[in-house]
C-alpha cells in the first residue's frame, strides 16, 4: 500500500472521481440521493477540493494498493488544537483490508510531526459501519453536533477523537 499526497490537478481529479463512486455506494440508504448529490458538489467535487486545499489548509492523500490501483483517499486539516480528519473513504470491495488502519497510522505520524495531540473527526450518527470501524481503531465519541449545510440538509454527527 502507498499513500500519495495529492499535489496536482490529475491527482485531484482521481480523488474527485473516487469520491463520487464511493459516496454513491456508501451513503445510499443513510442519507437521501438528493443530499448525496448536494454534498458531493459542495464538499467533494474537484472545485470544492481545490478550494479546501487553497483556503482551508486541507491535505488530500490517495491510497494506492500494491497493484497500482487507487482504493480510496483521505483529507486532513491541521489546526491549533488537533488534526482534523475531514474525510476517509475506501472503495466498497476494499473495506476491511487494513487501508483505513494504515491510513490512521500515517495520520498519527503526521499529527506528531505537527506536535498535535490527537485526531478528531465527525461521522454521521446513522453510519454504523464507520462508527464501528473508528471504535475498533481506537476512536472514542466525545461529543455530537448537528450542522445546517443549507438547502434544507443537515449533518447530524458524532465527534470522535483518538490521541496520538
Amino acid at each position: 500500500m502507498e499513500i500519495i499526497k495529492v499535489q496536482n490537478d490529475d491527482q485531484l481529479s482521481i480523488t474527485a472521481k473516487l469520491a463520487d463512486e464511493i459516496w454513491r455506494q456508501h451513503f445510499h440508504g443513510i442519507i437521501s440521493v438528493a443530499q448525496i448529490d448536494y454534498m458531493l458538489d459542495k464538499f467533494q467535487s474537484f472545485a470544492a477540493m481545490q478550494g479546501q486545499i487553497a483556503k482551508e489548509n486541507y491535505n488530500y492523500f490517495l491510497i494506492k494498493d500494491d497493484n497500482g490501483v487507487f482504493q480510496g483517499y483521505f483529507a486532513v486539516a491541521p489546526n491549533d488544537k488537533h488534526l482534523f480528519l475531514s474525510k476517509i473513504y475506501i472503495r466498497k470491495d476494499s473495506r476491511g483490508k487494513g487501508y483505513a488502519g494504515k491510513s490512521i497510522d500515517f495520520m498519527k505520524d503526521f499529527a506528531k510531526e505537527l506536535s498535535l495531540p490527537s485526531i478528531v473527526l465527525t461521522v454521521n450518527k446513522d453510519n454504523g459501519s464507520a462508527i464501528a470501524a473508528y471504535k475498533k481503531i481506537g476512536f472514542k465519541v466525545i461529543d455530537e453536533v448537528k450542522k445546517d449545510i443549507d438547502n434544507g440538509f443537515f449533518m447530524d454527527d458524532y465527534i470522535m477523537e483518538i490521541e496520538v
Side-chain angles (χ1 to χ4, degrees), residues 9-153:
D9 285 352
D10 289 340
Q11 293 170 330
L12 197 60
S13 180
I14 291 166
T15 308
K17 287 176 187 171
L18 280 168
D20 190 77
E21 172 191 336
I22 295 168
W23 268 65
R24 293 185 190 287
Q25 291 172 343
H26 186 73
F27 286 104
H28 181 75
I30 296 174
I31 57 177
S32 69
V33 173
Q35 186 168 351
I36 292 169
D37 290 342
Y38 176 76
M39 291 181 72
L40 279 168
D41 183 57
K42 184 167 180 157
F43 302 116
Q44 297 287 262
S45 66
F46 181 88
M49 290 181 201
Q50 272 186 321
Q52 292 163 2
I53 292 168
K55 299 173 189 168
E56 299 177 49
N57 201 27
Y58 275 60
N59 296 272
Y60 274 86
F61 297 88
L62 286 162
I63 303 165
K64 187 189 256 188
D65 69 16
D66 293 336
N67 296 317
V69 178
F70 293 107
Q71 296 299 335
Y73 69 99
F74 61 90
V76 293
N79 62 42
D80 58 347
K81 296 180 183 176
H82 54 256
L83 183 65
F84 177 60
L85 169 53
S86 174
K87 302 149 183 71
I88 181 166
Y89 297 106
I90 310 294
R91 283 187 156 147
K92 185 177 182 178
D93 294 341
S94 295
R95 293 182 199 136
K97 296 184 178 178
Y99 293 114
K102 289 177 183 174
S103 296
I104 297 294
D105 289 342
F106 177 91
M107 290 176 227
K108 285 179 178 179
D109 290 341
F110 190 60
K112 286 176 187 175
E113 287 174 21
L114 299 172
S115 299
L116 297 172
S118 65
I119 301 169
V120 172
L121 62 84
T122 59
V123 59
N124 185 293
K125 289 179 181 176
D126 293 324
N127 194 346
S129 62
I131 293 166
Y134 291 135
K135 285 182 176 179
K136 183 178 179 182
I137 292 168
F139 280 86
K140 294 182 171 109
V141 174
I142 60 167
D143 207 347
E144 54 187 68
V145 62
K146 188 169 185 176
K147 182 178 178 184
D148 184 343
I149 58 169
D150 299 326
N151 275 20
F153 298 119

